[in-house]
């Protein structure tokens, strides 16, 4: 039914808002830790997913002639609250290592949850016979699946070196360049 479809889009929209908050906070966290490659990766995701959200809202308006609600969302609270009491100069290698490990685990959990949500949405749309909507949401699913693949490779790389600070620092320039280039390719 049309209501099922618009309710589903509203839920996806709310999830996207939380995702934007997560990437924004991750970018701040990594900037605070002076890890500019990880920061740039999350800035890219923030911008790319903001564009996806605009496309979602535009799609629903143009194909269903409806606005979708911005429901209340939960703040992901990525940055530990006690960190607001310190400066970058207070960060030692142990804090940096723990911050990276914790944040990568949270990021991976978030993207896996997102993939599950989009898979469920696709299933509902197929069962509802809403094939055009299925095609649209399946593109969102493909994007998150690709992001998760990239993230999990990096996650395994960091796990393999036990989040060694020297290794983490050594990959920042490569990631910064990669995501700076990808950011330039974004457009609505």
């Amino acid at each position: 039914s049309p209501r099922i479809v618009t309710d589903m889009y509203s839920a996806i929209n709310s999830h996207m808002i939380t995702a934007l908050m997560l990437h924004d906070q991750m970018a701040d966290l990594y900037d605070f830790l002076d890890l500019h490659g990880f920061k740039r990766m999350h800035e890219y995701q923030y911008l790319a997913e903001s564009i996806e959200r605009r496309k979602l809202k535009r799609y629903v308006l143009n194909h269903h002639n409806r606005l979708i609600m911005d429901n209340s969302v939960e703040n992901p609270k990525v940055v530990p609250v006690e960190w607001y009491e310190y400066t970058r100069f207070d960060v030692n290698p142990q804090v940096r290592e723990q911050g990276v490990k914790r944040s990568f685990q949270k990021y991976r959990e978030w993207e896996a949850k997102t993939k599950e949500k989009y898979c469920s949405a696709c299933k509902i749309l197929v069962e509802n016979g809403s094939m055009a909507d299925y095609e649209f949401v399946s593109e969102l699913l493909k994007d998150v699946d690709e992001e998760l693949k990239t993230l999990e490779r990096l996650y395994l790389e960091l796990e393999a070196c036990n989040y060694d600070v020297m290794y983490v620092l050594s990959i920042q320039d490569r990631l910064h360049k990669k995501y700076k280039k990808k950011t330039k390719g974004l457009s609505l």
Side-chain angles (χ1 to χ4, degrees):
S1 75
R3 194 74 199 147
I4 290 171
V5 173
T6 53
D7 286 350
M8 186 216 45
Y9 279 126
S10 186
I12 290 173
N13 179 55
S14 295
H15 190 77
M16 287 178 155
I17 292 169
T18 304
L20 292 174
M21 293 170 69
L22 179 127
H23 289 300
D24 181 60
Q25 292 172 20
M26 287 276 193
D28 287 345
L29 178 138
Y30 290 126
D31 205 5
F32 181 76
L33 294 176
D34 199 31
L35 299 172
H36 58 278
F38 292 163
K39 174 200 67 154
R40 180 68 85 162
M41 178 175 69
H42 284 283
E43 287 175 341
Y44 166 78
Q45 286 304 142
Y46 177 88
L47 294 170
E49 292 176 22
S50 180
I51 290 168
E52 276 188 337
R53 181 171 173 265
R54 285 301 316 145
K55 288 178 180 178
L56 172 89
K57 293 180 85 172
R58 190 168 57 197
Y59 178 86
V60 173
L61 190 55
N62 290 327
H63 294 268
H64 293 281
N65 301 304
R66 293 182 172 271
L67 293 167
I68 52 176
M69 295 290 294
D70 288 342
N71 298 327
S72 62
V73 297
E74 189 174 331
N75 183 340
K77 297 181 181 175
V78 172
V79 179
V81 69
E82 61 272 10
W83 285 19
Y84 290 96
E85 300 298 319
Y86 300 101
T87 71
R88 286 173 157 177
F89 299 104
D90 297 316
V91 176
N92 63 37
Q94 183 183 5
V95 168
R96 185 174 281 107
E97 179 184 308
Q98 290 171 353
V100 171
K101 185 172 187 169
R102 218 176 20 251
S103 63
F104 264 87
Q105 289 167 342
K106 185 169 188 125
Y107 182 24
R108 184 171 173 242
E109 288 167 11
W110 173 262
E111 294 305 332
K113 180 177 151 185
T114 301
K115 183 177 176 179
E116 286 176 25
K117 277 186 175 290
Y118 291 176
C119 282
S120 294
C122 284
K123 183 178 183 230
I124 290 167
L125 290 168
V126 168
E127 290 170 354
N128 194 49
S130 303
M131 298 315 291
D133 294 300
Y134 163 79
E135 288 293 328
F136 181 82
V137 175
S138 72
E139 287 301 315
L140 297 175
L141 175 58
K142 287 177 190 171
D143 287 345
V144 77
D145 193 41
E146 201 55 40
E147 179 182 356
L148 188 56
K149 178 184 88 172
T150 301
L151 165 60
E152 286 183 338
R153 285 180 178 170
L154 184 54
Y155 179 84
L156 289 171
E157 191 177 324
L158 294 170
E159 284 284 316
C161 73
N162 202 25
Y163 296 87
D164 176 72
V165 173
M166 294 310 294
Y167 182 75
V168 168
L169 291 172
S170 76
I171 64 173
Q172 297 306 302
D173 284 339
R174 170 179 57 103
L175 291 169
H176 189 271
K177 288 174 187 168
K178 173 184 176 179
Y179 286 100
K180 184 176 183 176
K181 183 177 179 180
K182 286 181 74 146
T183 299
K184 288 181 181 179
L186 292 176
S187 68
L188 185 62

